[in-house]
Amino acid sequence: MRLVRNLIGTPEGAIGLGILVLLALVAIFAPVLSPGDPLRIAARPLLAPFTDPSFPLGTDRLGRDVLAGIIHGTRTSLAVGIAAALAAIAIGLCVGLTAGFAGGLVDEALMRVVDAFQIVPSFLLALAFVSVIGASVPVVVIAIALGAWADPARLTRAQVLSIRERDYVASARVIGMHPVEIALREILPNALPPVLALSAIIVAAAILTEAALSFLGLGDPNVVTWGSMIAEGRNVLRSSPSLSVFPGIALVVTVVAVYLFSEGLTKTIGRGRLVA
């Protein structure tokens, strides 16, 4: 795709995309890179890193392989981040497109709902939702999406309000095209690029939110996550800081890569290069 070539043409996009591709490969091939259950006890507890070739990053307090946890945690973090971003973008597009295209009372009502969700900090909303419903990966995804859909909705509405007054939209009305068809075929494709640029930021925020929830013990206990690994390591932070440092580095690298990818995508879109 031309978009990928143009994205690689920016330093931020190239670096971010390269790291994300590597992380995606690690997530996809996690069962091959680290077979078995990453939560199983594999060796003696608190094995220091770089002392045993079988466990390059050592083991935690229970004797679980730290490297296996980081590898399988990559799959959880990326899956939650991407799923939450897709859900938030889908909800935001539907609400923003409806509000901007319909106008009037529908617009006012939907925007007041958006305002209500934006008043509450997204992390507090996710925290309350998971605390009430219960901790599991689908619940965490829904909780993060509930706190993230308002920004795409407002951005989509702003784009639709600008686009719906253009000549080609007026021409579509004149020839008798159905309003739903106008919204989906004429307006939505042109309102989408800025929202796509925002999606990368939502992914990064979702990964951080999932890690924070896991750190607080509100993640799925049956799934290894970087946040739960950092939380596990804080109990022995002075004697074995690597238990928190290694998953923390993985988390930082992932979030930075997503932000770099977002910067490259924004520059590409800003130059009018969003061509499939």
Side-chain angles (χ1 to χ4, degrees):
M1 292 175 61
R2 187 174 299 180
L3 172 61
V4 176
R5 292 196 299 268
N6 293 334
L7 185 61
I8 295 175
T10 63
E12 302 93 338
I15 295 173
L17 182 61
I19 296 175
L20 289 178
V21 169
L22 179 61
L23 290 172
L25 291 175
V26 171
I28 292 171
F29 294 103
V32 177
L33 297 173
S34 178
D37 185 359
L39 296 175
R40 76 184 189 279
I41 297 175
R44 67 179 179 85
L46 297 178
L47 185 66
F50 312 119
T51 58
D52 188 337
S54 300
F55 307 96
L57 300 185
T59 58
D60 65 6
R61 294 190 306 159
L62 298 179
R64 296 173 295 194
D65 187 357
V66 174
L67 180 59
I70 292 176
I71 291 174
H72 286 267
T74 305
R75 169 177 287 188
T76 304
S77 295
L78 291 182
V80 169
I82 293 173
L86 289 175
I89 293 296
I91 298 171
L93 283 174
C94 292
V95 173
L97 183 62
T98 302
F101 190 73
L105 292 177
V106 174
D107 184 19
E108 286 294 326
L110 290 176
M111 285 302 100
R112 297 299 75 78
V113 174
V114 171
D115 291 339
F117 273 86
Q118 285 188 315
I119 290 173
V120 183
S122 58
F123 178 71
L124 292 181
L125 182 60
L127 185 65
F129 188 84
V130 174
S131 299
V132 172
I133 302 300
S136 67
V137 172
V139 171
V140 170
V141 169
I142 296 172
I144 296 173
L146 285 176
W149 69 270
D151 288 335
R154 190 169 291 279
L155 179 59
T156 302
R157 173 182 176 270
Q159 293 294 313
V160 172
L161 289 176
S162 172
I163 295 170
R164 72 177 187 178
E165 303 301 330
R166 296 182 183 177
D167 293 339
Y168 62 87
V169 177
S171 300
R173 291 194 184 98
V174 169
I175 64 176
M177 188 178 292
H178 194 276
V180 175
E181 190 177 2
I182 294 175
L184 296 179
R185 293 185 58 182
E186 303 294 335
I187 295 179
L188 181 60
N190 294 287
L192 197 57
V195 182
L196 290 179
L198 182 63
S199 64
I201 298 177
I202 296 176
V203 171
I207 292 173
L208 286 175
T209 301
E210 184 279 327
L213 291 173
S214 297
F215 182 83
L216 295 175
L218 293 174
D220 191 335
N222 299 315
V223 177
V224 61
T225 66
W226 292 336
S228 62
M229 294 179 68
I230 295 173
E232 173 69 22
R234 68 180 172 178
N235 297 313
V236 289
L237 192 58
R238 291 190 176 183
S239 59
S240 300
S242 61
L243 296 183
S244 293
V245 170
F246 287 137
I249 291 174
L251 181 62
V252 170
V253 169
T254 303
V255 173
V256 170
V258 174
Y259 274 114
L260 289 175
F261 177 81
S262 174
E263 286 293 319
L265 187 61
T266 301
K267 287 185 177 181
T268 301
I269 294 173
R271 295 171 186 172
R273 293 178 174 178
L274 191 67
V275 179

